[in-house]
Amino acid sequence: MLESLIQLLQGAKHIEVFTGAGVSTLSGIRDFRGTGGFYTAAWHGLSVEDLLSLHVFRDDPSLFYGWAREFLYRLKDFKPSIVHTTLAKMEQNGLIRGVYTQNIDQLHQKGGCKHVWEIHGSPESHTCLSCKAKSSYDDVVGDVMANKVPLCKTCGGVLKPDIVFYGEQLEGKLLDRAYRDMASADVIMILGSSLTVQPAASLPMATYYHGGKIVIVNSQETPLDKYAKVRLYDLQETFAVLNSWLDQRNPGI
């Protein structure tokens, strides 16, 4: 199947990439819905859905920040994996146009990708719930790691990371762009996503409905497996092969 994947990529003119939490497990970040993932265990009696819900955050933001310290405010501790760096090589080589990701860990950018669209937002900035002033990730990380709720320097209000919580809408313009890009793609590579969080999980079907091919590399089954032209399970093995193929194809990249 790896040979089939390479043949598919070689013959495509427009390849899009859609990634989920599974691509970051190789960097040491726990998956969300996989075995041992964030969603499989409660935190202080609360589910992750509760911790990431807007109304719970407004009621007691310390719950979210206490939970999020484990990974969201330790991002400097995590390094890009072979998936992130190989996708950057593919972008440099003109094989892919960029990456649409459900992830909020910024590892695609660290890995070298220049065009990354974060469907679920980014912790790079935080917004005051009171006056809407912005603060950067670096401005708040010290307080979070010191077990404090970060507050706005302008008005003292609570700062919320600019990631999409349950109860918030995804950015409409970004979703429209993603749909158009995937609808025009010859191939969509779905990597490390369980494809269960809507509406983002439905976007790759735009490729299929418009005659393109679906590639899925994920350790767990997904709702779109039956539509996949190539279905693989091991990201590490797949991207080791793709990285070697790229090196042979373009020794200077």
Side-chain angles (χ1 to χ4, degrees):
M1 289 297 285
L2 282 168
E3 291 182 1
S4 297
L5 172 59
I6 290 174
Q7 289 175 0
L8 196 61
L9 298 180
Q10 286 176 322
K13 294 181 180 179
H14 177 181
I15 302 170
E16 293 289 345
V17 177
F18 179 89
T19 69
V23 303
S24 297
T25 59
L26 298 177
S27 296
I29 297 178
R30 286 166 59 194
D31 198 353
F32 274 80
R33 288 180 168 77
T35 303
F38 286 111
Y39 275 83
T40 62
W43 193 87
H44 289 203
L46 293 173
S47 68
V48 173
E49 286 89 347
D50 288 331
L51 292 165
L52 287 171
S53 68
L54 188 59
H55 77 274
V56 170
F57 184 88
R58 289 184 180 276
D59 287 344
D60 187 355
S62 68
L63 292 171
F64 166 79
Y65 282 114
W67 170 78
R69 275 199 307 274
E70 179 183 344
F71 81 104
L72 189 58
Y73 294 94
R74 289 180 49 229
L75 294 182
K76 291 182 179 179
D77 295 344
F78 302 108
K79 306 300 181 185
S81 72
I82 191 171
V83 177
H84 302 105
T85 56
T86 302
L87 287 174
K89 278 187 180 182
M90 294 176 74
E91 183 188 58
Q92 293 165 24
N93 195 27
L95 285 171
I96 64 172
R97 297 192 179 184
V99 176
Y100 284 95
T101 185
Q102 297 174 290
N103 298 340
I104 55 175
D105 53 36
Q106 300 182 320
L107 287 174
H108 284 299
Q109 293 92 324
K110 287 183 181 179
C113 278
K114 304 300 183 185
H115 300 95
V116 181
W117 296 280
E118 297 166 307
I119 296 172
H120 291 152
S122 170
E124 182 60 28
S125 63
H126 289 58
T127 300
C128 175
L129 293 180
S130 298
C131 74
K132 307 305 179 185
K134 295 287 186 179
S135 295
S136 71
Y137 179 90
D138 290 338
D139 287 337
V140 307
V141 67
D143 283 341
V144 176
M145 296 309 291
N147 203 25
K148 299 176 183 178
V149 172
L151 301 177
C152 175
K153 294 179 181 178
T154 301
C155 75
V158 172
L159 294 172
K160 175 190 169 294
D162 290 340
I163 59 177
V164 180
F165 278 49
Y166 291 102
E168 295 184 297
Q169 297 294 316
L170 299 185
E171 184 183 338
K173 290 183 179 179
L174 180 57
L175 288 178
D176 289 344
R177 175 179 181 149
Y179 181 86
R180 290 195 303 269
D181 283 347
M182 294 183 196
S184 63
D186 300 313
V187 175
I188 176 74
M189 296 179 68
I190 303 167
L191 309 173
S193 176
S194 61
L195 296 173
T196 56
V197 179
Q198 299 296 345
S202 297
L203 289 171
M205 283 302 290
T207 303
Y208 181 83
Y209 289 141
H210 289 82
K213 303 295 191 297
I214 291 178
V215 173
I216 298 176
V217 189
N218 191 58
S219 60
Q220 298 172 297
E221 294 182 355
T222 82
L224 302 192
D225 284 357
K226 60 185 177 182
Y227 301 104
K229 180 70 173 179
V230 176
R231 179 60 168 99
L232 300 165
Y233 292 85
D234 192 320
L235 280 163
Q236 175 78 45
E237 178 186 12
T238 299
F239 275 80
V241 171
L242 287 179
N243 189 55
S244 177
W245 168 63
L246 286 172
D247 286 344
Q248 294 172 14
R249 188 172 184 263
N250 295 283
I253 291 181

